[in-house]
């Protein structure tokens, strides 16, 4: 855990209920692991996986896919999670399962700390909802090593498609530079 991060989050939680923390960064940088560490530290927290909001096939129009960061259904994330959290009405959301192509119900309820983890979570349309943005960075060699360990068969797809899409989004919106906290995760 980054020095002082727990204290910073506790301070934000004293001011905001719920307190929303978003973790963005390249695939393989450790976003899910950091979200899990936050959840262990704050057991009454809620972790939202932004991957649940990737576009469904019928939404993947050529025009939409040309825009950096537009392969995420931000509109649904706002409607099903972020706005309901603001009003205390969050009761879960629909998850798009990329493997089955089906929508699935994810249960949930408001918690004092909500952690949104995933690539594209710092998109400018989403940032106003957050109290803290954390960007995890990883060098390319370590990123590829981690992705190969995770799923060797998927590595070519990451190299050809997902990494370039993420890099275009990071660069287009200056995501690294705009994060409240930048953490290098090369360990």
């Amino acid at each position: 855990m980054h020095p002082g991060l727990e204290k910073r989050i506790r301070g934000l939680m004293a001011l905001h209920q719920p307190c929303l923390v978003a973790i963005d960064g390249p695939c393989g940088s450790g976003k899910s692991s950091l979200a899990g560490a936050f959840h262990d530290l704050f057991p009454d927290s809620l972790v939202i996986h932004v991957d649940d909001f990737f576009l469904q096939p019928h939404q993947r129009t050529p025009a939409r896919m040309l825009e950096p960061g537009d392969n995420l259904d931000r509109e649904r994330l706002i409607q099903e999670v972020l706005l309901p959290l603001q009003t205390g009405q969050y009761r879960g959301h629909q998850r798009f399962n990329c493997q089955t192509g089906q929508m699935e119900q994810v249960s949930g309820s408001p918690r004092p700390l909500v952690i949104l983890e995933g690539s594209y979570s710092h998109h400018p349309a989403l940032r106003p909802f957050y109290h803290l943005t954390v960007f995890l960075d990883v060098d390319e060699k370590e990123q590829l090593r981690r992705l190969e360990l995770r799923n060797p068969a998927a590595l070519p797809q990451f190299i050809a498609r997902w990494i370039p899409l993420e890099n275009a989004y990071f660069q287009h919106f200056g995501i690294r530079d705009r994060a409240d906290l930048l953490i290098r995760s090369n360990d």
Side-chain angles (χ1 to χ4, degrees), residues 27-97:
C27 49
S29 62
K31 298 177 297 293
S32 297
S33 296
L34 182 59
F38 281 165
H39 185 65
D40 290 345
L41 195 57
F42 301 95
D44 196 25
S45 62
L46 172 67
V47 176
I48 303 287
H49 302 284
V50 175
D51 287 0
D52 291 355
F53 296 89
F54 278 131
L55 294 179
Q56 298 172 61
H58 72 274
Q59 296 173 298
R60 298 176 195 160
T61 64
R64 178 127 191 188
M65 296 308 292
L66 286 176
E67 293 297 319
D70 267 7
N71 53 329
L72 180 70
D73 191 344
R74 292 185 312 278
E75 301 83 359
R76 190 166 62 81
L77 177 58
I78 291 169
Q79 291 302 313
E80 292 186 17
V81 175
L82 298 173
L83 288 174
L85 281 169
Q86 283 186 332
T87 61
Q89 302 299 311
Y90 176 75
R91 298 292 178 262
H93 63 272
Q94 292 287 311
R95 170 187 185 265
F96 177 63
N97 184 325

Side-chain angles (χ1 to χ4, degrees), residues 118-136:
S119 297
Y120 311 106
S121 64
H122 289 190
H123 189 281
L126 304 174
R127 284 184 59 90
F129 292 95
Y130 306 139
H131 302 104
L132 179 66
T133 56
V134 178
F135 188 90
L136 285 187

Side-chain angles (χ1 to χ4, degrees), residues 151-164:
N151 185 344
L155 184 61
Q157 179 73 7
F158 276 100
I159 293 169
R161 182 173 173 89
W162 300 119
I163 292 173

Side-chain angles (χ1 to χ4, degrees), residues 131-148:
H131 302 104
L132 179 66
T133 56
V134 178
F135 188 90
L136 285 187
D137 212 352
V138 63
D139 68 51
E140 183 181 354
K141 183 178 178 181
E142 179 63 14
Q143 177 188 34
L144 295 176
R145 185 189 74 76
R146 290 177 182 184
L147 292 172
E148 185 171 31

